[in-house]
Amino acid sequence: MNGPMIITLSVLAVASVLFMSGKVRSDLVAIGVLMVLMLTDILSPAEALSGFSNSVVIMMIGLFVVGGGIFQTGLAKMASGKLLKLGGGSETRLLIMIMLVTSLIGGFVSNTGTVAVMLPIVVSLAYSAEINPGRLLMPLAFASSLGGMLTLIGTPPNLVIQETLINAGYERLSFFAFLPIGLVCLATGILAILFLRRYLPSNEEGRTGNQGGRSLRELAKQYRLTQNLYRIQVGADSSIRSKTLRELDIPARFEINIIEIRRKMSAKNQFFKTINQEIAGPGTVIEEEDILYVNGPFERASEFAETYGLVMLDQGVPEHRKRAEESQYATSDVGIAEVMLTPSSRLIGRLVKHSGFREKYRVNILGIQRKEQYLLHHLKEEKMRFGDALLVQGTWKDIALLAAEQTDVVVVGQPAEESRKLTMDHKAPIAAGIMLLMVILLVTEWIPAVASVMIAAVLMVVFGCVRNMEEAYKTVNWESIVLIGGMIPMSIAIEKTGAATLISDMLVHSLGSYGSLALLAGVYFTTSLLTLFISNTACAVLFAPIALSAAIQMGASPYPFLFAVSIGASMCFASPFSTPPNALVMSAGRYKFSHYVKVGLPLQLVIGLVMMAVLPLFFPF
């Protein structure tokens, strides 16, 4: 072995140990690898930094943004929620349906994001069906990885082996090249889980409590908001048209609050599906056909409607929407939060009407919790006391400003986090259209794959499926991006120094005499073992050039060997820390390490054995 090869293999060994230990962030390890290879002159600066301009890295950034749009518009949640209802109350039907739905979503967006969206839905379904969530959550995590094998963009290792093949001069893979193998993986996984589920938790061990403040739904329910929320529409003959809320002074005259105004975006859309949602402020001008969301006693709301010739929608004209509920108090722009008065608050002893909440913070007070009492009416004349909890509504931006004010009030919970949980449901059809366009472009290959993904990502931002560019950047898992960009040069170094040839020689000499199938098994199970300790992406980046070199030495087609690398790197179930989805469900499912060994290890082995049988059928040697 020459000096550069020894350095490269030493760096690889140290990096692998650090990846396995988990004590150093994986992206920091990747950057360290890159720097060592550059400082030792094994790679030139251009080669060392080439990973960050690699099409795989750019595609991954775009896919994260597209996935963010799918999640933020509620498209994934709506689709999965509707499909999962078909599962009914049977544990077997639910388990199969959960795995099918999760894998379908996982074929197009990141497995971590898929599990994050599906987890609360599955827990809710489990409790409704009186099933321990632990019976369903591990299959959910495993299905997200199985789904990654259905499409070219389903998981990073798929893109890694595509890049390896293209760089070696072989034909690129089509968008659905993985589909036959992926379907076999999925069918095997579902059947295996049906047998292995006996090892999953069977006894209910209690539910996890909500920490850090009540959720928006809980707040709305606790303060009985829906019992005091009415929709009133402005007609053509109404005398309040073209007037501002300041002029009308409705709270003083009728003791009700107009908390939101819904307005059509265009005359062409006769349904209230695509609407502007804005907090009703003093300067808001009332227009014809506006729908006013009014909070207060029914008698006063009716009196207000009668006085100005308005229509009570909940008793008359339909809005083509379901009746007002908790969600009307919180949208992607507007939210509710609970506020506590501090012991030294200057608001203690003041009347609500003199508190200046609306003028100073631009928020409405919807209710007051005083000990066990909930005060919802005639709030203007209420004197605020220490210990009161106030339910306020305003834009998320104004609630965030209120949260920064710690002198007089303290906002309970994390309103910024709650605002991110809310989805822009009216944008879901747009997100679906953009995703469909991306898939069509990827399948037809009219333009390069990286361009297709980036177009879809840009459209998600332009059409507001991702709230803004800042949110678009937040959807990207930068640790994964830096890890991929930093480790791609390692594969260059492995090839450049001859280390790939050396390792592949060892594999060929030790297993090649037993035939191509034995070598294929060696590549697959070595990759499968290593992926227990390092990320699937890093594993694929390291093994792809080795598998390619071994196949060429054997005079065999590289396709089955590279598919073995991708599948072996992705099918990792035997450890809770080997993939983010496995780790995500551990707490919610109340799993122990032994659960992953009893269920995940046999599943990983079974899929490996099945792949050894079917890979040569789909991709002959």
Side-chain angles (χ1 to χ4, degrees), residues 502-515:
L502 177 68
I503 298 171
S504 60
D505 278 345
M506 292 168 61
L507 278 170
V508 170
H509 289 145
S510 58
L511 298 172
S513 59
Y514 298 102

Side-chain angles (χ1 to χ4, degrees), residues 63-76:
L63 288 170
F64 275 122
V65 176
V66 172
I70 291 167
F71 297 138
Q72 289 185 21
T73 57
L75 178 61

Side-chain angles (χ1 to χ4, degrees), residues 276-340:
N276 285 329
Q277 296 175 325
E278 55 176 283
I279 190 72
T284 303
V285 178
I286 306 296
E287 295 180 9
E288 184 182 339
E289 292 194 24
D290 278 357
I291 293 176
L292 313 178
Y293 279 75
V294 174
N295 173 256
F298 176 74
E299 310 79 51
R300 304 313 304 269
S302 297
E303 183 186 341
F304 165 62
E306 193 175 329
T307 302
Y308 291 113
L310 307 171
V311 180
M312 293 283 288
L313 281 185
D314 292 320
Q315 299 178 36
V317 182
E319 189 201 342
H320 299 286
R321 294 180 64 90
K322 58 186 177 180
R323 192 192 185 283
E325 14 175 84
E326 292 96 330
S327 59
Q328 311 304 343
Y329 280 89
T331 70
S332 56
D333 302 313
V334 179
I336 55 176
E338 198 169 27
V339 174
M340 303 290 290

Side-chain angles (χ1 to χ4, degrees), residues 533-556:
F533 307 104
I534 68 174
S535 81
N536 60 359
T537 307
C539 196
V541 167
L542 295 174
F543 263 86
I546 294 168
L548 177 69
S549 181
I552 292 170
Q553 282 193 58
M554 284 286 290

Side-chain angles (χ1 to χ4, degrees), residues 389-417:
L390 315 177
L391 185 70
V392 300
Q393 186 206 39
T395 64
W396 288 113
K397 185 178 178 182
D398 288 331
I399 289 174
L401 291 173
L402 184 62
E405 165 64 67
Q406 304 258 327
T407 308
D408 296 316
V409 295
V410 175
V411 175
V412 181
Q414 297 175 300
E417 291 301 315

